[in-house]
Amino acid sequence: MQRIFLAVFIAILVAIPLIPGTPEFWVNQMNTIGIASLVVLGLVILTGVAGMTSFGQAAFVGMGAYATAYLSTSLGYSPWIGLLAGLAIAFVIAYILGQITLRLSGHFLPLGTIALCLIFYYLFGNMDFLGRHDGLPGIVPIEIFGFSLLKARAIYFLIWGVVLLSIFLSLNLLNSRTGRAIRALKNGAAMAESFGVNTHHYKMIAFVYAALLASVAGWLYAHEQRAVSPSTFGLNYGIEYLFMAVIGGSVSIWGAILGAGLVVFLRDQIQAYTPYLIDAKVNVEMVVFGILMVLILHHAKDGLWPILMRGVNKIFGEKQTQNTDLGLDEKAAELPKRERPQKGDTVLRVNKIRKEFGGLVAVNDISFEVKAGQIMGLIGPNGAGKSTSFNLITGVLPLTSGTVEFMGQKISGLSAREISRLGIGRTFQHVQLLPNMTVLENVALGAHLRANSGVVSSLLHLERESEARLLKEAKIQCERVGLGDYLYEKAGNLALGKQRIVEIARALALDPTLLLLDEAAAGLRYKEKQDLAAVLSALRDEGMSILLVEHDMDFVMKLTNHLVVMDFGTYLAEGSPAEIQQNPAVIEAYLGGMDDVLDMASTEVKV
């Protein structure tokens, strides 16, 4: 269906300027839509996918437009030199602004991009060599192999060729190792850091990529209009580009074209008919677009494109099919494995770790060790500090005092990303998956550190071999935990129990030496718990060390070799499961009554 749609779309694009009698107005409108689509495509990546809001894309459009306008009119350089200059300027400005704002959370990026737009609007309108508010007219047309693209019908093919190329590059980017990291930024940045994803780096990629697309749009605009002035690069246009992204579908690549087309069409119609309706030339486009945006956000938060696709599928009787075209190759080479420590070696040493939140002591000088080939349980009542201890060990939270050593190396003070690189994988108390990505892609994110393909190879789809190896590893880990039938199912469609299993598979894809499982059996049915216990036992036999937080005592007592009990953040007791069941302090503080003790004592303990 998608290929048919693409073929029809390209056929229509080619036919519009070639059909005799096609009004010149239509061709010009299509040129405007194509140029706007480039800007909106960048916003889809930046805002819809990566979750970062920019109001300053019009400024980057202006950089591309003014760079080529000045160089071609005042200095006589080729438009192609102007293109490179515009890209260079946009790259430098986006890089500097991104380094300043993207390390900060909240409203800093939106405010920074608003300031950027206001600054460049002022500069464009007040610099003599840029023509001040009159702008720069008489821009030379683009030439390709001596053929001038002076007329609208001639530059039309260049504009839409660039749009289609940008769509191809953007789809390649999103369906890659780099793209998975970018998609994790919106709802799973902390989780992604725990698997080695440098979130700041990928924020920078998304931000700079959107700026470069906007600069290309500005270059095309300048040579299509053959004149530039500050009025088309103000903040109102930056907001309008956001409208286009939201209305079309901020998470849909093809929604960028739909949104641009609708807004350009509506803007033209509003400007044409407003004088007849209110008997005055009033600019009411922003009011109408604002109302439309509110309605879209309320009734179709993903924009109009997904609704349109569902309607088309319904008309043609198509069902929503699973995305199986992810580059998985069964013949791909397997990724290299870490060397396992000798059974019995100390893998993790926790020494008097402490965490204070103001006056609250959440973890109070806890110490324990985990040996190679051992499953150790960390148990205690709700609020005992177990999950906080996990976060201290994995670098998610900083220690107030104490030390953590992994394989003889001090890791306290390291970031979650650096700790994961050493070979510590984890799951989370509250499931942290990317619901709109398939199970296979979610698990492949766990293997992020085991490949090194970059953004350029992703854009050009040159990372096929590396990507195939990552996806094969993800498939192996999915099958290992019983998810072989769910590879192409969206993770958000799975039941909670299955989602927890996906988290375990993702952690295994890191090829960890130490695996930290935070309530991994929560939400699982009895048979699923048995299957999970079998998987964890097999991992232990392979030499993997496992630190387990769990409330299901039957599950813990049958599976673990050693237990540490916490209560209100403090160390209470430790020993074998049999010893813990008979410990009076544990019985009083944790088990809550002799009936529970008798039930546990009657449980067969398997170590």
Side-chain angles (χ1 to χ4, degrees), residues 72-108:
S72 62
T73 57
S74 301
L75 302 181
Y77 284 105
S78 163
W80 300 102
I81 300 297
L83 171 62
L84 296 177
L87 289 172
I89 294 170
F91 178 88
V92 171
I93 298 298
Y95 184 84
I96 293 173
L97 182 62
Q99 289 290 357
I100 295 172
T101 61
L102 293 180
R103 295 184 187 277
L104 305 172
S105 60
H107 55 271
F108 291 99

Side-chain angles (χ1 to χ4, degrees), residues 34-43 56-69 71 79-94 116 120 124 142 162 166 207-224 228 233 241:
I35 292 169
S37 295
L38 285 173
V39 187
V40 181
L41 185 58
L43 279 173
Q57 297 311 105
F60 293 114
V61 176
M63 294 173 203
Y66 268 97
T68 192
L71 290 176
W80 300 102
I81 300 297
L83 171 62
L84 296 177
L87 289 172
I89 294 170
F91 178 88
V92 171
I93 298 298
L116 178 77
F120 274 88
F124 294 149
I142 299 170
V162 172
S166 299
F207 188 57
V208 171
Y209 181 70
L212 294 179
L213 285 180
S215 179
V216 173
W219 176 73
L220 290 169
Y221 172 83
H223 292 285
E224 195 262 347
V228 295
F233 309 119
Y241 289 132

